[in-house]
Amino acid sequence: TSSEGDGIKTSSVASRHLANLNTHGVTIVKETLSSVQLQEWNIKLENTLRDPKSRIAWNSGRAHCNVAKRSVHYDDMSRIGCSIDGDNISDNARSNDKQHTHSILKMLGFGRNKHKDEATDDGNTATNASQQIPLQDVVKSYFEQHGIKRYQITQLQFLNANPGSSNQIWHRDNTQRGLTAIIALKDVGKNGPTELISQSHRDDFTLWSPCLDVLQSYLPSNLRSNEKDVPPFGSKLCIGPILGCLDAGDTILYDARILHRGRGYDCTKKAKGDTSGCDKDRPVLVLRWDATLTPPPGAGIITTTATKYVGSMLYA
């Protein structure tokens, strides 16, 4: 059992993730999978996608395979990121987890981080990056924070984006609170990272907010918004579309309401001599949690279509 001191320290770790989710709609959980687990899940994904009995759905050059409850992989995948000791907060979380915080403040956590010793936002150095709070501890804390007592896994999925894949449509996973985790099985960079619009999960966000922000910047200061507590769109806290580049084993965890899409990548540069990233696929695991009373998607065909087209116009 954690001591009182350890409990306070652990809570501060989780609170940073919660602050990122509340402010930006997204956070990064480092090293969800170990190197051994990465090898195992890469093999499981490859075997599943090659199995002729698997029900694979193709979309924009991506192979999607939902993991049903009867699947041999369901239990193992549903337990990814659980506390090792079975408690709400594990021993692995009792470290000074500031590395991801610096990344979030610098680029909302989406810079690729191959260097374990990196200066944090307070000038110190995070040298013990392997000790991180478990993914599902963050998930549990998120729902508890918002007073949601009952939530459940609504999707487990193997997903692989192949070279030559195209951009997905802009969409939300749910119109109500929930979380989606994308766990990288290989480094994610040029090979089709997830693209998200920071703060688009907020209640005051609309697809036209960025346009209104630009217009507001041309208004006299006395006619601009006087809201001081909530940063306006277009401020330093909202940088528009951002790319979820990850190291293998890391997780991008985002609010189900955030506007996002899978970025495509082609090999047209290969003819020009730039072959970097052109032959690499992007295998990931997808886990989703939603409140029991508000299952996904929560939006009808009209809202989904509007999001698709307006999002494409604003963020081509």
Side-chain angles (χ1 to χ4, degrees):
T1 305
S2 301
S3 65
E4 183 177 356
D6 286 339
I8 294 174
K9 194 171 185 179
T10 299
S11 297
S12 68
V13 174
S15 68
R16 295 192 193 100
H17 286 294
L18 295 178
N20 290 331
L21 287 167
N22 292 334
T23 303
H24 307 295
V26 60
T27 192
I28 297 294
V29 181
K30 298 291 292 181
E31 299 180 5
T32 301
L33 297 178
S34 67
S35 57
V36 174
Q37 292 172 322
L38 276 173
Q39 291 180 335
E40 293 175 347
W41 281 108
N42 268 297
I43 292 173
K44 291 176 181 178
L45 181 144
E46 291 174 4
N47 290 340
T48 298
L49 296 184
R50 290 175 181 174
D51 188 346
K53 296 180 181 179
S54 298
R55 294 185 176 181
I56 300 174
W58 287 90
N59 178 13
S60 304
R62 296 167 181 79
H64 301 256
C65 184
N66 288 322
V67 178
K69 289 186 177 181
R70 63 178 179 274
S71 169
V72 294
H73 302 307
Y74 185 89
D75 288 341
D76 289 340
M77 191 179 293
S78 64
R79 288 195 295 264
I80 288 177
C82 286
S83 302
I84 295 176
D85 59 7
D87 294 334
N88 184 33
I89 301 296
S90 75
D91 291 337
N92 281 357
R94 297 170 191 151
S95 62
N96 194 359
D97 179 21
K98 291 186 177 180
Q99 183 171 0
H100 81 277
T101 306
H102 173 258
S103 298
I104 288 289
L105 294 175
K106 185 177 181 181
M107 184 57 186
L108 297 184
F110 295 125
R112 296 185 67 187
N113 182 18
K114 288 296 186 182
H115 304 287
K116 299 303 181 184
D117 295 341
E118 180 176 307
T120 60
D121 55 309
D122 62 356
N124 295 324
T125 300
T127 58
N128 205 357
S130 62
Q131 293 183 325
Q132 305 290 336
I133 185 170
L135 170 65
Q136 297 211 34
D137 285 356
V138 181
V139 173
K140 188 174 189 296
S141 298
Y142 169 86
F143 285 104
E144 287 180 345
Q145 181 189 57
H146 296 291
I148 300 174
K149 297 181 179 180
R150 298 182 61 189
Y151 67 95
Q152 60 189 3
I153 291 176
T154 53
Q155 185 180 62
L156 298 176
Q157 187 180 94
F158 289 113
L159 190 159
N160 191 36
N162 295 312
S165 60
S166 58
N167 292 339
Q168 286 183 321
I169 64 169
W170 287 103
H171 64 282
R172 292 182 169 94
D173 290 342
N174 199 335
T175 58
Q176 304 297 321
R177 293 189 188 277
L179 289 173
T180 300
I182 296 180
I183 306 172
L185 297 184
K186 293 182 181 178
D187 290 349
V188 177
K190 295 181 180 179
N191 53 341
T194 301
E195 186 175 20
L196 309 97
I197 299 177
S198 174
Q199 299 190 60
S200 59
H201 68 300
R202 287 171 27 167
D203 292 337
D204 60 344
F205 177 88
T206 71
L207 290 172
W208 302 109
S209 295
C211 295
L212 296 175
D213 234 15
V214 173
L215 293 174
Q216 182 175 253
S217 66
Y218 290 98
L219 295 176
S221 57
N222 62 319
L223 296 179
R224 296 179 187 176
S225 173
N226 293 322
E227 241 181 289
K228 296 180 180 179
D229 297 332
V230 181
F233 293 98
S235 66
K236 292 182 180 179
L237 287 180
C238 183
I239 59 176
I242 51 179
L243 298 179
C245 298
L246 300 168
D247 293 333
D250 292 353
T251 298
I252 178 173
L253 181 67
Y254 57 86
D255 192 298
R257 298 168 296 172
I258 201 167
L259 197 63
H260 66 283
R261 67 177 177 181
R263 278 289 291 267
Y265 72 108
D266 57 45
C267 297
T268 55
K269 293 183 179 180
K270 192 169 184 179
K272 301 178 182 180
D274 182 7
T275 60
S276 59
C278 286
D279 58 347
K280 296 180 181 179
D281 55 357
R282 191 207 66 176
V284 299
L285 304 178
V286 180
L287 292 81
R288 286 174 55 181
W289 300 267
D290 292 279
T292 304
L293 297 178
T294 55
I301 186 66
I302 296 177
T303 302
T304 301
T305 303
T307 301
K308 170 186 173 181
Y309 286 107
V310 177
S312 298
M313 286 189 291
L314 295 176
Y315 310 104

